[in-house]
Amino acid sequence: MALFSVFQTTFLLALLSLRTYQSEVLSEPLPWAPESLRVFINSTHQCLHLQWSVHNLAHHQELKMVFQIEISRIKTSNVIWVENYSTTVKWNQVLHWSWESKLPLECAKHFIRMRSAVDDAKTPKQSFWSNWSSWEEVHVQNSLGHDPFFVFPKDKLVEEGSNVTICYVSRSQQNNISCYLEGVRMQGEQLEPNVSVFNLNHVAFIRETGTNIYCKGDQGDSIKGIVLFVSKVLEEPKDFSCETQDLTTLNCTWDPRSDTGLLKQLSQSYTLFESFSGKKTLCKHKSWCSWEVAPESQEMYNFTLTAENYLRKRSVHLLFNLTHRVHPMAPFSVLFTDVSATNATMTWKVHSTGNYYTLLCQVELYGEGEVIQHNVSVEVDGKQLFGGLEPDTEYRAQVRCANANHFWKWSEWTRQNFTTTEAAPSEAPDVWRNVKSVQGHSVVTLFWKPLSKLQANGKILFYNIVIENLDRSSISRLLSIPAPANGTELNLDQCLYQIHVTANNSVGTSPASVIIVSGDPGNKEVEEERVKGMEDGFSLSWKPQPGNVTGYIVEWCDHPRGPLCDLQWKSVGPTTTSTVVSSDAFRPGVQYNFRIYGISTERVPYLLEKKTGYSQELAPSDNPQVVMSNLTSRSFTLSWKDYSTESQPSFIQGYHVYLKSKAGQCHSGSEKAVLSDDAVCCKYKIDNPKQKTFVVENLQPESFYEFLVTPYTSVGEGPHGAFTKVTTPDEYSPILIRIILPMVFCILLIMIICYLKSQWMKEKCYPDIPDPYKSSVLSLIKSKENPRLTIMSIKDCVPDSIEVLNKQEGTRKSLTETESSKATYLYLLPTDKSYSGPGPCICFENFTYNQAASDSASCGHVPVAPVAPPSQLGLLTSPENLLKALEKNYMNSLGEIPAGETNLNYVSQLASATSGDKFSLPTNPPEPALCSEYKMQMAIPLGLASPPSSGSSSLSSVTLLDEGEHYH
Amino acid sequence: MKVLAAGVVPLLLVLHWKHGAGSPLPITPVNATCATRHPCHSNLMNQIRNQLAQLNGSANALFILYYTAQGEPFPNNLDKLCGPNVTDFPPFHANGTEKTRLVELYRIIAYLGASLGNITRDQKVLNPNALSLHSKLNATADIMRGLLSNVLCRLCNKYHVAHVDVAYGPDTSGKDVFQKKKLGCQLLGKYKQVIAVVAQAF
């Protein structure tokens, strides 16, 4: 135990002595310690720049040394960075070292110190550090102004995605300051009582003009801010490539990717460096650069393309042989020679790229949807022959070339078009005919289809038609129809004709198409069959013909309803007995008729079958126009004979007759049906589409009915449109009509006759002035009844007495005489005082009337009083005059007066006789009546008559009277 | 001595000869010190008033365009960032004499013209795409140049003032970007305020 204690004490003493020795060695200053340490600040880059020197180095001595640098923040014990910097130190050399701080230098104090060690094999004392230099303090805040607070770093430029630390430094420790980025408050941490830092991680690019970051205190008195510039990350140039077209200039291109240009930073620049020649060029463009090929024959090139901006550099490398990067220029002078209908020769030239290069050229020919490709080896001029071309066809040829030895890239295409020449048509036109017999002649319409482009071999100019009469072979005709006609009409007799049709272009004639036409159209009666259309057309089949046929032709009209039927046909071979006819013109609801002809070995077509059908049947859109007839109280007849079944959109299978009645009962032969409007009616079904009449029976008299006739087809029936209304009559109406109608007719006839013969009737039955001698009615009455009551006989007229008064008129003057003589009055007074009727009349010759008094109405009756006015009588007042008159116009009995004395007036006897007061002058004399049958009673010479008055006779008579005069 | 005088004096005269020396002196006009390149407009004050009215009419629009182009926080913190806190701005006394007012106007327009030049230069770099702002700044600077010339004419012709001491605002070229924006905004806010008073005074 004691031994152990002695050993332990000895070991501790030895260790202590060793430690003491070491301390003495280390405390000895190293001869090459760093001295004159100075620290410089670069706030813009947040860098500390250190500068120091090493003394005691011998002249021309070089020593490898290690400098350990320590950086503390806020306080010296808070070391944040330790780095060993190794370098070779020379005599009297000033050494430099930089350090970039993540934290803006204004945000905190920094302390720097360093020590050195020799790291040189030539020096034995190499493993001992020198003493630390004293701490160098860096405190930028001392140089700030007097503002309440500051924000750092100013105008910082960083790359997108990097981390940035921001701080504010406040003058006061109590300031509560908040900071914002794009309006969003940032969360920070306190570094010192008056300093807070904000760590922004993975900052994003927002805009080229920078991002405002600002801080404001709770006092709200000031806002301080900075602008942070975030640059896009500079990317490596992509697709860097160099090539030459002429072996004198290299053209290098690349994809520059995104532009990193900012307010604080220009866009990235590009530099091209070639290592073999050591040449360098700054590119003027962002995506390409030119490089002059050295005149000396440098084949290998090693390029370095460097993209550089304020923050970063990116480089790409490219090593190549110049001859392997030849991109020839496009060929030129492309020409076509010896162009015929089927051949052409193409020639072209290429740009020279030196004497030792052979080019491989690729030639492509485009025509009619196909491409022909050729590869040609070319040194100077190229040539290629094209064969097997189509006549009259435009082709497009193009050529490009590449380096034959070391393919790099094809040149651009050089294109040129050419057209082959025409050739004679290769195929005969497809010909068909339509024959009609008109008045013993055949009207043959020839149709042909235009040749396709491949068949025509050029532009068809005209069609030649040779008509050969087979019955009289010596006769033939030639017609030339200019294109683009596709048919012609021929008038032929009933003979057999062979018609040749050829198509002609500028070069030649096509083979002839031959068809035989006879007077017989060949349209024999054959049964028409129905076919059902499909989506792609009509599938037609027919029975094979037992004899030899050279083929079949199916004929139809594309527009059967149009005025031009647009005849179409399809030719098939002799072994074919079915075909599908399709056409873009086929429409649903249109009936198409097909005729199938066989072509005999003599080329005579004959009709085999007829077929009809719809590509798609549609329901009828219209109902027939129905005429109703034979309406009785129990039935009526419906008829729609004008309804065409062939022009309907589907095959008519029959008709439905709907009958609505109030009773709602359906009789036998009909069934109840419910219409779309839920109306119930009776439905009669007519299965025969040709039956277009129908008798509706078992009706009720005086009942209201509605009916509708609609066709039905396989796809439905016609529309249920408006019903026609009808009311059945009663049962007796027809009988009454049979009686009443003739009666009404007879009455009307009589009325018409009476109207037409009214004058005659009037004269015969009720004349204005009855003539006893002319009235047959009266005569009839006379003969049958009492003749005395009707016709007056002369014998019955016995004058009773005549009193003539001669009254003196002294005061009165005539118009013609200054003084009138005594008037003479004749009074005819019946003896029988009781007489008042017209029967016993008084007949006399009255001399008191003159002619002029009645001139106003040549044959009028002027009823006057039996006593003439004195003034008028004045002319006859003298007895001589009167006697003279009497001599000439004697008093006549009421017998016959000779005719011809119509210029004489008379006085109506009838008026005086009918007047109540026969002695008074009538105040309203009746109008003169024409054509009196009376004879004049006295004729007076015109010279004796007084001038007639212009007015009526009655008026004139009144005006001539003096006032106070009156008649009795 | 006479010889000396006779030989030296001409020599000195020859050595100190210059254009006009020895020739008769021209009659010095009253406003000889006021030299204007062009004759002044007859209705000068009216033109000055019109130019002031024109500046006053467009000042607010220019201010709005400016702070809108700077982005946040400028539009929403006008009082703190764009307040008219320009300490060295030339004063203006609206109740002074016309001469005084014209002299003060001259100083103000000279100050504003220089500041607008700084702002225009900065904004072309800071906001290269704000073309309407650039256009408005240039138009305002043009009017100010014309106004400055007219005021000088008036001062020279009427008041025989040939020289006015002027002061200019701080040079912003060394400032950070945020500070440039802020100083420009403050200046334009001050301009909007002052030009209204000045236009009213004339």
mmCIF file of all heavy atoms in Angstrom, chain A residues 531-555:
data_model
loop_
_atom_site.group_PDB
_atom_site.id
_atom_site.type_symbol
_atom_site.label_atom_id
_atom_site.label_comp_id
_atom_site.label_asym_id
_atom_site.label_seq_id
_atom_site.Cartn_x
_atom_site.Cartn_y
_atom_site.Cartn_z
ATOM 1 N N VAL A 531 -87.985 -2.984 -102.305
ATOM 2 C CA VAL A 531 -86.717 -3.244 -101.607
ATOM 3 C C VAL A 531 -86.634 -2.290 -100.426
ATOM 4 O O VAL A 531 -87.234 -1.221 -100.411
ATOM 5 C CB VAL A 531 -85.499 -3.045 -102.530
ATOM 6 C CG1 VAL A 531 -85.441 -4.108 -103.569
ATOM 7 C CG2 VAL A 531 -85.531 -1.663 -103.156
ATOM 8 N N LYS A 532 -85.917 -2.741 -99.481
ATOM 9 C CA LYS A 532 -85.774 -1.937 -98.273
ATOM 10 C C LYS A 532 -84.388 -1.304 -98.255
ATOM 11 O O LYS A 532 -83.382 -1.988 -98.466
ATOM 12 C CB LYS A 532 -85.968 -2.815 -97.039
ATOM 13 C CG LYS A 532 -86.111 -2.008 -95.758
ATOM 14 C CD LYS A 532 -86.574 -2.879 -94.622
ATOM 15 C CE LYS A 532 -86.806 -2.034 -93.363
ATOM 16 N NZ LYS A 532 -87.312 -2.857 -92.257
ATOM 17 N N GLY A 533 -84.383 -0.011 -98.058
ATOM 18 C CA GLY A 533 -83.119 0.701 -98.055
ATOM 19 C C GLY A 533 -82.349 0.467 -96.766
ATOM 20 O O GLY A 533 -82.925 0.147 -95.723
ATOM 21 N N MET A 534 -81.057 0.625 -96.870
ATOM 22 C CA MET A 534 -80.196 0.497 -95.690
ATOM 23 C C MET A 534 -79.459 1.811 -95.504
ATOM 24 O O MET A 534 -79.646 2.764 -96.273
ATOM 25 C CB MET A 534 -79.206 -0.648 -95.892
ATOM 26 C CG MET A 534 -79.879 -1.996 -96.106
ATOM 27 S SD MET A 534 -78.695 -3.293 -96.444
ATOM 28 C CE MET A 534 -77.982 -2.755 -97.958
ATOM 29 N N GLU A 535 -78.647 1.845 -94.507
ATOM 30 C CA GLU A 535 -77.925 3.091 -94.220
ATOM 31 C C GLU A 535 -76.999 3.481 -95.356
ATOM 32 O O GLU A 535 -76.848 4.655 -95.679
ATOM 33 C CB GLU A 535 -77.114 2.936 -92.931
ATOM 34 C CG GLU A 535 -77.966 2.938 -91.685
ATOM 35 C CD GLU A 535 -77.122 2.925 -90.439
ATOM 36 O OE1 GLU A 535 -75.892 2.910 -90.570
ATOM 37 O OE2 GLU A 535 -77.699 2.919 -89.341
ATOM 38 N N ASP A 536 -76.377 2.451 -95.973
ATOM 39 C CA ASP A 536 -75.399 2.751 -97.019
ATOM 40 C C ASP A 536 -75.990 2.650 -98.411
ATOM 41 O O ASP A 536 -75.270 2.643 -99.401
ATOM 42 C CB ASP A 536 -74.199 1.810 -96.894
ATOM 43 C CG ASP A 536 -74.630 0.358 -96.910
ATOM 44 O OD1 ASP A 536 -75.828 0.098 -96.713
ATOM 45 O OD2 ASP A 536 -73.765 -0.517 -97.117
ATOM 46 N N GLY A 537 -77.304 2.514 -98.525
ATOM 47 C CA GLY A 537 -77.914 2.477 -99.844
ATOM 48 C C GLY A 537 -78.919 1.345 -99.969
ATOM 49 O O GLY A 537 -79.484 0.874 -98.980
ATOM 50 N N PHE A 538 -79.113 0.929 -101.217
ATOM 51 C CA PHE A 538 -80.068 -0.144 -101.512
ATOM 52 C C PHE A 538 -79.296 -1.382 -101.957
ATOM 53 O O PHE A 538 -78.418 -1.293 -102.828
ATOM 54 C CB PHE A 538 -81.012 0.278 -102.631
ATOM 55 C CG PHE A 538 -81.958 1.375 -102.210
ATOM 56 C CD1 PHE A 538 -81.598 2.709 -102.353
ATOM 57 C CD2 PHE A 538 -83.201 1.076 -101.675
ATOM 58 C CE1 PHE A 538 -82.456 3.717 -101.975
ATOM 59 C CE2 PHE A 538 -84.061 2.091 -101.285
ATOM 60 C CZ PHE A 538 -83.692 3.413 -101.437
ATOM 61 N N SER A 539 -79.644 -2.471 -101.343
ATOM 62 C CA SER A 539 -79.035 -3.731 -101.753
ATOM 63 C C SER A 539 -79.971 -4.388 -102.761
ATOM 64 O O SER A 539 -81.090 -4.771 -102.412
ATOM 65 C CB SER A 539 -78.815 -4.634 -100.540
ATOM 66 O OG SER A 539 -78.263 -5.854 -100.944
ATOM 67 N N LEU A 540 -79.522 -4.467 -104.000
ATOM 68 C CA LEU A 540 -80.363 -4.991 -105.071
ATOM 69 C C LEU A 540 -79.784 -6.316 -105.546
ATOM 70 O O LEU A 540 -78.563 -6.479 -105.649
ATOM 71 C CB LEU A 540 -80.411 -4.002 -106.241
ATOM 72 C CG LEU A 540 -80.858 -2.572 -105.899
ATOM 73 C CD1 LEU A 540 -80.756 -1.690 -107.129
ATOM 74 C CD2 LEU A 540 -82.272 -2.571 -105.369
ATOM 75 N N SER A 541 -80.662 -7.233 -105.845
ATOM 76 C CA SER A 541 -80.229 -8.504 -106.439
ATOM 77 C C SER A 541 -81.257 -8.926 -107.482
ATOM 78 O O SER A 541 -82.420 -8.517 -107.416
ATOM 79 C CB SER A 541 -80.091 -9.582 -105.348
ATOM 80 O OG SER A 541 -81.333 -9.794 -104.720
ATOM 81 N N TRP A 542 -80.836 -9.675 -108.419
ATOM 82 C CA TRP A 542 -81.705 -10.088 -109.507
ATOM 83 C C TRP A 542 -81.339 -11.497 -109.932
ATOM 84 O O TRP A 542 -80.276 -12.011 -109.573
ATOM 85 C CB TRP A 542 -81.611 -9.106 -110.684
ATOM 86 C CG TRP A 542 -80.206 -8.897 -111.185
ATOM 87 C CD1 TRP A 542 -79.582 -9.598 -112.156
ATOM 88 C CD2 TRP A 542 -79.267 -7.932 -110.697
ATOM 89 N NE1 TRP A 542 -78.316 -9.143 -112.341
ATOM 90 C CE2 TRP A 542 -78.084 -8.108 -111.461
ATOM 91 C CE3 TRP A 542 -79.295 -6.954 -109.720
ATOM 92 C CZ2 TRP A 542 -76.965 -7.327 -111.259
ATOM 93 C CZ3 TRP A 542 -78.174 -6.176 -109.539
ATOM 94 C CH2 TRP A 542 -77.021 -6.364 -110.291
ATOM 95 N N LYS A 543 -82.270 -12.033 -110.678
ATOM 96 C CA LYS A 543 -82.067 -13.425 -111.096
ATOM 97 C C LYS A 543 -81.061 -13.469 -112.234
ATOM 98 O O LYS A 543 -81.106 -12.634 -113.132
ATOM 99 C CB LYS A 543 -83.384 -14.025 -111.567
ATOM 100 C CG LYS A 543 -84.426 -14.096 -110.457
ATOM 101 C CD LYS A 543 -85.750 -14.536 -111.027
ATOM 102 C CE LYS A 543 -86.826 -14.482 -109.936
ATOM 103 N NZ LYS A 543 -88.179 -14.720 -110.490
ATOM 104 N N PRO A 544 -80.181 -14.402 -112.195
ATOM 105 C CA PRO A 544 -79.223 -14.515 -113.314
ATOM 106 C C PRO A 544 -79.934 -14.921 -114.593
ATOM 107 O O PRO A 544 -80.918 -15.670 -114.571
ATOM 108 C CB PRO A 544 -78.245 -15.581 -112.828
ATOM 109 C CG PRO A 544 -78.996 -16.353 -111.805
ATOM 110 C CD PRO A 544 -79.962 -15.414 -111.159
ATOM 111 N N GLN A 545 -79.482 -14.382 -115.684
ATOM 112 C CA GLN A 545 -80.109 -14.659 -116.966
ATOM 113 C C GLN A 545 -79.541 -15.944 -117.561
ATOM 114 O O GLN A 545 -78.321 -16.188 -117.498
ATOM 115 C CB GLN A 545 -79.859 -13.494 -117.926
ATOM 116 C CG GLN A 545 -80.530 -12.226 -117.469
ATOM 117 C CD GLN A 545 -82.010 -12.403 -117.275
ATOM 118 O OE1 GLN A 545 -82.752 -12.703 -118.206
ATOM 119 N NE2 GLN A 545 -82.482 -12.284 -116.030
ATOM 120 N N PRO A 546 -80.437 -16.696 -118.105
ATOM 121 C CA PRO A 546 -79.958 -17.969 -118.647
ATOM 122 C C PRO A 546 -79.054 -17.775 -119.857
ATOM 123 O O PRO A 546 -78.093 -18.504 -120.045
ATOM 124 C CB PRO A 546 -81.259 -18.699 -119.007
ATOM 125 C CG PRO A 546 -82.276 -17.613 -119.170
ATOM 126 C CD PRO A 546 -81.893 -16.518 -118.243
ATOM 127 N N GLY A 547 -79.358 -16.788 -120.680
ATOM 128 C CA GLY A 547 -78.552 -16.596 -121.885
ATOM 129 C C GLY A 547 -77.252 -15.899 -121.579
ATOM 130 O O GLY A 547 -76.895 -15.631 -120.424
ATOM 131 N N ASN A 548 -76.533 -15.580 -122.607
ATOM 132 C CA ASN A 548 -75.278 -14.876 -122.438
ATOM 133 C C ASN A 548 -75.540 -13.384 -122.259
ATOM 134 O O ASN A 548 -76.238 -12.773 -123.073
ATOM 135 C CB ASN A 548 -74.375 -15.103 -123.643
ATOM 136 C CG ASN A 548 -73.894 -16.536 -123.697
ATOM 137 O OD1 ASN A 548 -73.729 -17.173 -122.659
ATOM 138 N ND2 ASN A 548 -73.709 -17.053 -124.899
ATOM 139 N N VAL A 549 -75.021 -12.840 -121.227
ATOM 140 C CA VAL A 549 -75.089 -11.399 -121.019
ATOM 141 C C VAL A 549 -73.663 -10.892 -120.844
ATOM 142 O O VAL A 549 -72.805 -11.596 -120.306
ATOM 143 C CB VAL A 549 -75.944 -11.027 -119.788
ATOM 144 C CG1 VAL A 549 -77.406 -11.317 -120.028
ATOM 145 C CG2 VAL A 549 -75.433 -11.723 -118.544
ATOM 146 N N THR A 550 -73.459 -9.729 -121.302
ATOM 147 C CA THR A 550 -72.129 -9.141 -121.144
ATOM 148 C C THR A 550 -72.047 -8.270 -119.893
ATOM 149 O O THR A 550 -70.978 -7.770 -119.552
ATOM 150 C CB THR A 550 -71.781 -8.276 -122.357
ATOM 151 O OG1 THR A 550 -72.768 -7.254 -122.475
ATOM 152 C CG2 THR A 550 -71.769 -9.107 -123.623
ATOM 153 N N GLY A 551 -73.177 -8.085 -119.267
ATOM 154 C CA GLY A 551 -73.165 -7.298 -118.032
ATOM 155 C C GLY A 551 -74.565 -6.854 -117.661
ATOM 156 O O GLY A 551 -75.547 -7.153 -118.361
ATOM 157 N N TYR A 552 -74.663 -6.199 -116.577
ATOM 158 C CA TYR A 552 -75.940 -5.669 -116.097
ATOM 159 C C TYR A 552 -75.782 -4.186 -115.805
ATOM 160 O O TYR A 552 -74.682 -3.710 -115.457
ATOM 161 C CB TYR A 552 -76.388 -6.393 -114.829
ATOM 162 C CG TYR A 552 -76.602 -7.878 -115.017
ATOM 163 C CD1 TYR A 552 -75.601 -8.789 -114.700
ATOM 164 C CD2 TYR A 552 -77.820 -8.351 -115.502
ATOM 165 C CE1 TYR A 552 -75.791 -10.146 -114.864
ATOM 166 C CE2 TYR A 552 -78.021 -9.713 -115.662
ATOM 167 C CZ TYR A 552 -77.002 -10.605 -115.347
ATOM 168 O OH TYR A 552 -77.202 -11.930 -115.515
ATOM 169 N N ILE A 553 -76.890 -3.508 -115.921
ATOM 170 C CA ILE A 553 -76.892 -2.075 -115.586
ATOM 171 C C ILE A 553 -78.096 -1.803 -114.691
ATOM 172 O O ILE A 553 -79.220 -2.218 -114.999
ATOM 173 C CB ILE A 553 -76.940 -1.204 -116.853
ATOM 174 C CG1 ILE A 553 -75.565 -1.208 -117.504
ATOM 175 C CG2 ILE A 553 -77.381 0.218 -116.527
ATOM 176 C CD1 ILE A 553 -75.434 -0.352 -118.707
ATOM 177 N N VAL A 554 -77.834 -1.158 -113.610
ATOM 178 C CA VAL A 554 -78.895 -0.728 -112.693
ATOM 179 C C VAL A 554 -79.103 0.769 -112.915
ATOM 180 O O VAL A 554 -78.137 1.546 -112.877
ATOM 181 C CB VAL A 554 -78.523 -1.007 -111.229
ATOM 182 C CG1 VAL A 554 -79.645 -0.574 -110.307
ATOM 183 C CG2 VAL A 554 -78.213 -2.472 -111.037
ATOM 184 N N GLU A 555 -80.344 1.143 -113.143
ATOM 185 C CA GLU A 555 -80.659 2.531 -113.480
ATOM 186 C C GLU A 555 -81.625 3.088 -112.445
ATOM 187 O O GLU A 555 -82.530 2.398 -111.995
ATOM 188 C CB GLU A 555 -81.298 2.561 -114.878
ATOM 189 C CG GLU A 555 -81.886 3.882 -115.283
ATOM 190 C CD GLU A 555 -82.779 3.716 -116.496
ATOM 191 O OE1 GLU A 555 -82.264 3.568 -117.607
ATOM 192 O OE2 GLU A 555 -84.021 3.723 -116.314
#
